């Protein structure tokens, strides 16, 4: 894939690709009166350094003998939102640059590297292929009834489950008012009351509770195995 570099500074345009792609940045000869003192800069950690948004690394353009176009190749093996720009080389500009937020606003453009996600160590999907179902934890039945709830989500095509916090909730009982960050809520581990011939199970009451307390957010996920979810109640 290629990105054509030009003098227009438009930070609203973001080039997007997936991890593992090699991107070639082209400096077209007609678009810029470049010289041998032009450098390409990026805050992508070229040599596996720890990523720092404000640190930019220089790369030299390679000149094509036939087209005379200048290009820089980068293999993107990390996910994230990275920045780049090019400019004429200044004195002592062969070292890394440290750019403030204000300086980056004036110079850089963005490239977004999406991950490839793996389900059950077999199926690979991109971020755009995620279909997420939110489960409001305080409305869920006990763990023993989870397969019944999750199998419905699987059958209609969801491939990721998002839970609201699974910790004990505070006095307000809000889905995100956490009383104790280090513990699970007891409600998920109580033994379901199956006595009584006409009593409903926790999962039978879930849909009514869920519709009354639904919340739209993203925290943690659960993998599925095709259309079946297995829950180990001993964990």
């Amino acid at each position: 894939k290629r990105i054509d570099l030009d003098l227009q500074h438009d930070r609203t345009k973001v080039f997007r690709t997936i991890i593992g792609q090699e991107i070639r940045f082209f400096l077209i000869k007609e678009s810029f009166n470049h010289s041998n003192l032009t450098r390409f800069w990026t805050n992508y950690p070229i040599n596996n350094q720890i990523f720092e948004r404000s640190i930019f690394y220089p790369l030299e353009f390679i000149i094509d003998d036939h087209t005379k176009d200048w290009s820089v190749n980068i293999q993107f093996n990390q996910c994230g939102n990275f920045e780049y720009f090019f400019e004429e080389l200044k004195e002592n500009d062969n070292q890394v640059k440290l750019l403030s937020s204000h300086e980056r606003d004036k110079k850089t453009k963005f490239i977004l590297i999406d991950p490839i996600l793996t389900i059950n160590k077999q199926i690979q999907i991109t971020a755009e292929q995620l279909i997420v179902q939110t489960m409001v934890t305080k409305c869920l039945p006990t763990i023993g009834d989870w397969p019944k709830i999750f199998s419905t989500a699987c059958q209609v095509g969801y491939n990721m489950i998002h839970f609201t916090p699974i910790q004990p909730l505070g006095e307000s009982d809000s889905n995100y008012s956490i009383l104790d960050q280090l513990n699970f809520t007891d409600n998920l581990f109580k033994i379901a009351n199956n006595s009584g011939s006409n009593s409903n199970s926790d999962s039978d009451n879930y849909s009514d509770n869920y519709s009354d307390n639904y919340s739209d957010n993203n925290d943690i996920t659960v993998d599925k195995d095709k259309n079946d979810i297995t829950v180990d109640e001993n964990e």
Side-chain angles (χ1 to χ4, degrees):
K1 293 186 177 181
R2 63 179 283 165
I3 297 178
D4 290 337
L5 302 172
D6 56 44
L7 294 176
Q8 294 181 351
H9 181 248
D10 185 358
R11 285 169 63 92
T12 64
K13 294 181 180 179
V14 179
F15 185 88
R16 186 175 182 180
T17 188
I18 59 175
I19 190 171
Q21 294 285 327
E22 182 179 69
I23 305 300
R24 177 170 291 183
F25 297 82
F26 273 93
L27 192 59
I28 308 301
K29 61 180 182 297
E30 288 85 3
S31 66
F32 183 65
N33 185 23
H34 38 57
S35 70
N36 292 331
L37 299 180
T38 303
R39 284 290 183 273
F40 180 92
W41 299 86
T42 180
N43 61 1
Y44 178 77
I46 301 295
N47 295 316
N48 298 318
Q49 303 96 328
I50 296 176
F51 172 69
E52 295 286 348
R53 183 154 300 279
S54 60
I55 296 179
F56 285 75
Y57 306 94
L59 291 172
E60 292 188 11
F61 282 99
I62 300 172
I63 305 175
D64 188 292
D65 292 334
H66 177 66
T67 65
K68 304 304 179 183
D69 289 336
W70 293 29
S71 65
V72 168
N73 294 351
I74 300 179
Q75 179 81 27
F76 286 94
N77 294 319
Q78 293 187 33
C79 301
N81 188 3
F82 304 102
E83 298 172 58
Y84 63 91
F85 68 96
F86 70 95
E87 66 180 7
E88 290 188 3
L89 185 66
K90 300 173 184 176
E91 188 176 356
N92 298 323
D93 254 359
N94 285 318
Q95 305 300 319
V96 298
K97 280 181 180 288
L98 185 63
L99 298 185
S100 67
S101 175
H102 179 68
E103 289 175 308
R104 296 200 309 274
D105 286 344
K106 292 182 177 181
K107 289 185 175 184
T108 66
K109 297 181 181 180
F110 293 102
I111 181 168
L112 178 62
I113 310 299
D114 283 336
I116 296 178
L117 307 174
T118 303
I119 299 177
N120 297 325
K121 300 181 181 180
Q122 295 178 345
I123 305 172
Q124 289 190 336
I125 62 174
T126 65
E128 291 183 338
Q129 294 174 301
L130 287 177
I131 307 173
V132 183
Q133 169 71 62
T134 293
M135 297 290 183
V136 179
T137 302
K138 70 179 182 181
C139 300
L140 284 172
T142 53
I143 283 181
D145 280 330
W146 279 18
K148 185 187 297 185
I149 297 297
F150 294 154
S151 63
T152 301
C154 291
Q155 291 166 8
V156 298
Y158 290 102
N159 56 22
M160 182 172 284
I161 300 295
H162 149 242
F163 293 89
T164 59
I166 57 177
Q167 294 95 336
L169 299 180
E171 184 177 352
S172 69
D173 200 37
S174 168
N175 294 322
Y176 290 87
S177 174
I178 298 175
L179 178 66
D180 184 353
Q181 294 275 1
L182 303 180
N183 281 310
F184 296 105
T185 175
D186 291 337
N187 295 334
L188 298 179
F189 303 99
K190 291 178 182 178
I191 298 176
N193 181 13
N194 293 322
S195 63
S197 58
N198 296 323
S199 62
N200 294 329
S201 70
D202 289 348
S203 58
D204 292 332
N205 296 323
Y206 172 76
S207 58
D208 291 337
N209 292 335
Y210 184 80
S211 62
D212 291 338
N213 295 280
Y214 179 78
S215 178
D216 228 354
N217 292 282
N218 296 305
D219 285 330
I220 60 177
T221 61
V222 173
D223 285 342
K224 68 181 181 66
D225 182 10
K226 296 183 180 179
N227 287 332
D228 185 31
I229 292 181
T230 300
V231 178
D232 187 350
E233 295 182 63
N234 295 320
E235 291 187 358

